């Protein structure tokens, strides 16, 4: 029996793959026997068929047991972690049977979009997991905001008593330079090249990364064609492909990390923000991220970014203090060293989560579910057809 097995669609890149890789590193550091199983879901149809770099690196690690999903040979483990609910809401094409003491579904994705509409139904997702694997999953939110949204579906899903936040190895995220140590500032951002990760207008994009005196703009991961089609001017940006260089090195060159995103989008955690904090950048963020990062960042709409940066420039010592406090807090709260204790707590915790505020009342959830059905976003056959259709990506 394995101590832990992780299941993921290997085409995931960005935060989901990085978060799972960090979990596995923590399991291995604790001396656990770890397995990795790859599945395929229509959710990522249209994405590059190759493994993402993070998953490819895991597949080369001789300490990890590569598991071949099969309908006849179940994966046997004390703990199984299913990564990303959209994978299982859309359904998996890969035969997969599980025999585990506990099966956890790590909710890297919020059920509700930024506009309040549902993007997946956790109740249906749990049923689809049970049909596909034979296991009833226990949901693990990656943040308090994610927990609040998932509470809207209790008692019809099994919500874990504990969160499963992203973790990092602080030693791998050590800045070599100090932010705001030069008159010339570098502002920028890093993330998947997805239009939903950006403001929805050219004016919002320009305001989020403002042109200021003695300031350079650097971006790693940019849907250039989409932004230019909206009318955004990227002519004086330094733009790198997603993960064109190691993320710590890119972030180490930034004084200010700025992140605003599409009104219809949502962020369950915001791993790229935590990475920027660990590398000593001051983070100026969309206010919707305040429930996750609290006083570790500054918040404003895109049009407030220029004023916020100029205020930071006027008091560089205060800016560096904000960055230092954020780095220390993330390193303490999200350390790899915390994982073995949290894993043990998952097995000893009671079956029910504590009550708390819900994102939406039951009647509103029902109305939004009916809206998904009307839009053709609910049943797996419809979802697969949408992914195969024009523009699927």
């Amino acid at each position: 029996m394995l101590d832990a097995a992780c299941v993921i669609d290997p085409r995931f890149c960005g935060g989901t793959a990085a978060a799972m890789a960090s979990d596995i590193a923590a399991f291995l550091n604790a001396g656990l026997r770890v397995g990795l199983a790859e599945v395929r879901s229509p959710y990522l149809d249209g994405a590059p068929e190759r493994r993402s770099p993070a998953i490819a690196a895991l597949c080369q690690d001789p300490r990890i047991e590569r598991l071949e999903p099969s309908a006849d040979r179940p994966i046997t483990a004390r703990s199984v972690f299913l990564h990303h609910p959209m994978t299982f809401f859309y359904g998996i094409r890969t035969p997969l049977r599980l025999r585990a003491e506990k099966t956890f579904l790590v909710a890297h994705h919020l059920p509700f979009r930024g506009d309040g509409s549902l993007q997946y139904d956790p109740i249906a997702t749990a049923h689809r997991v049970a049909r596909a694997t034979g296991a009833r999953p226990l949901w693990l939110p990656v943040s308090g905001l994610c927990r609040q949204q998932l509470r809207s579906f209790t008692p019809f899903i099994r919500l874990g008593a504990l969160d499963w936040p992203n973790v990092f190895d602080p030693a791998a995220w050590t800045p070599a330079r100090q932010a705001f140590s030069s008159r010339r500032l570098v502002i920028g951002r890093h993330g998947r090249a997805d239009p939903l990760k950006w403001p929805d207008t050219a004016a919002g994009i320009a305001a989020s990364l403002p042109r200021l005196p003695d300031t350079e703009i650097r971006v790693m991961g940019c849907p250039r064609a989409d932004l230019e089609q909206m009318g955004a001017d990227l002519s004086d940006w330094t733009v790198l492909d997603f993960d064109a260089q190691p993320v710590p090195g890119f972030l180490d060159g930034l004084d200010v990390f700025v992140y605003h995103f599409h009104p219809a989008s949502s962020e369950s955690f915001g791993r790229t923000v935590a990475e920027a904090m660990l590398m000593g950048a001051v983070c100026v963020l969309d206010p919707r991220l305040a429930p996750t990062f609290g006083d570790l960042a500054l918040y404003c709409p895109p049009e407030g970014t220029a004023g916020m940066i100029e205020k930071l420039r006027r008091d560089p010592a205060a800016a560096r203090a904000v960055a230092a406090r954020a780095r220390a807090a993330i390193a303490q709260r999200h350390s790899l060293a915390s994982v073995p204790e949290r894993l043990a707590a998952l097995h000893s915790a009671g079956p029910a989560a504590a009550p708390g505020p819900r994102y939406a009342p039951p009647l509103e959830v029902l109305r939004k579910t009916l809206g998904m059905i009307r839009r053709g976003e609910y049943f797996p056959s419809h979802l697969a057809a949408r992914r195969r259709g024009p523009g699927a990506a």
Side-chain angles (χ1 to χ4, degrees):
M1 176 181 285
L2 295 167
D3 295 302
C6 292
V7 180
I8 194 171
D9 189 319
R11 295 169 291 178
F12 270 110
C13 59
T16 297
M20 189 192 73
S22 294
D23 289 348
I24 288 178
F27 296 153
L28 293 172
N29 289 347
L32 302 185
R33 185 181 169 199
V34 182
L36 174 65
E38 301 175 49
V39 295
R40 296 279 168 154
S41 168
Y43 176 59
L44 289 182
D45 285 357
E49 280 301 307
R50 62 182 180 276
R51 293 185 180 101
S52 68
I55 305 299
L58 289 175
C59 290
Q60 298 302 312
D61 191 325
R63 298 172 297 172
I64 298 170
E65 298 190 30
R66 299 284 306 285
L67 306 174
E68 290 296 332
S70 167
D72 302 321
R73 296 190 308 278
I75 293 172
T76 304
R78 184 160 188 255
S79 305
V80 172
F81 293 84
L82 308 176
H83 283 272
H84 208 290
M86 294 293 276
T87 300
F88 300 92
F89 178 65
Y90 273 68
I92 55 173
R93 298 190 176 103
T94 314
L96 178 67
R97 304 304 289 174
L98 301 177
R99 186 180 295 148
E101 288 184 21
K102 289 196 175 181
T103 299
F104 305 107
L105 181 49
V106 185
H108 298 278
H109 211 60
L110 296 175
F112 296 93
R113 296 185 178 95
D115 61 6
S117 63
L118 267 178
Q119 50 192 339
Y120 69 88
D121 175 13
I123 300 171
T125 304
H127 284 303
R128 291 168 191 174
V129 167
R131 285 201 302 270
T133 70
R136 293 180 62 221
L138 189 69
W139 288 76
L140 297 185
V142 297
S143 68
L145 175 60
C146 187
R147 174 172 294 277
Q148 183 180 8
Q149 290 203 6
L150 288 172
R151 276 199 196 103
S152 302
F153 303 88
T154 56
F156 302 105
I157 64 169
R158 300 170 67 230
L159 182 59
L162 303 174
D163 292 347
W164 192 255
N166 286 205
V167 293
F168 306 86
D169 178 3
W173 299 87
T174 302
R177 63 180 289 274
Q178 189 176 52
F180 287 85
S181 56
S182 169
R183 174 62 188 172
R184 183 169 181 80
L185 296 183
V186 180
I187 65 174
R189 49 177 287 164
H190 160 256
R192 286 187 296 110
D194 183 343
L196 289 177
K197 298 287 186 181
W198 292 78
D200 62 340
T201 65
I205 293 165
S208 180
L209 292 171
R211 292 174 170 83
L212 300 171
D214 294 320
T215 301
E216 179 183 349
I217 299 171
R218 294 183 194 167
V219 175
M220 186 161 73
C222 175
R224 181 189 287 272
D226 296 284
L227 301 191
E228 290 179 337
Q229 187 174 17
M230 292 164 55
D233 180 8
L234 285 55
S235 59
D236 58 353
W237 294 10
T238 297
V239 179
L240 303 175
D241 290 340
F242 179 63
D243 285 353
Q245 69 180 78
V247 178
F250 174 79
L251 294 174
D252 198 26
L254 302 184
D255 297 288
V256 181
F257 180 90
V258 181
Y259 187 49
H260 297 98
F261 51 97
H262 198 286
S265 187
S266 55
E267 286 286 350
S268 189
F269 177 70
R271 185 178 179 90
T272 189
V273 174
E275 291 171 346
M277 289 178 174
L278 285 170
M279 292 309 298
V282 178
C283 291
V284 177
L285 307 177
D286 190 301
R288 288 174 287 173
L289 288 167
T292 299
F293 294 105
D295 64 356
L296 303 184
L298 305 172
Y299 304 93
C300 65
E303 57 269 20
T305 306
M308 193 76 74
I309 291 173
E310 292 295 10
K311 182 178 179 181
L312 290 167
R313 194 200 298 265
R314 289 194 293 270
D315 192 346
R320 289 193 288 270
V322 170
R325 184 175 73 249
R327 184 180 192 282
I330 295 295
Q332 179 182 20
R333 298 176 194 173
H334 299 278
S335 170
L336 254 65
S338 68
V339 169
E341 182 178 347
R342 290 198 287 117
L343 181 59
L346 285 180
H347 281 270
S348 62
R358 295 170 178 256
Y359 179 83
L363 285 178
E364 185 176 348
V365 170
L366 177 59
R367 180 177 61 81
K368 292 177 182 296
T369 303
L370 293 173
M372 287 190 74
I373 295 172
R374 285 194 300 269
R375 295 190 303 270
E377 296 178 354
Y378 193 84
F379 297 105
S381 59
H382 297 163
L383 293 168
R386 289 166 66 91
R387 283 301 184 187
R388 287 194 298 269

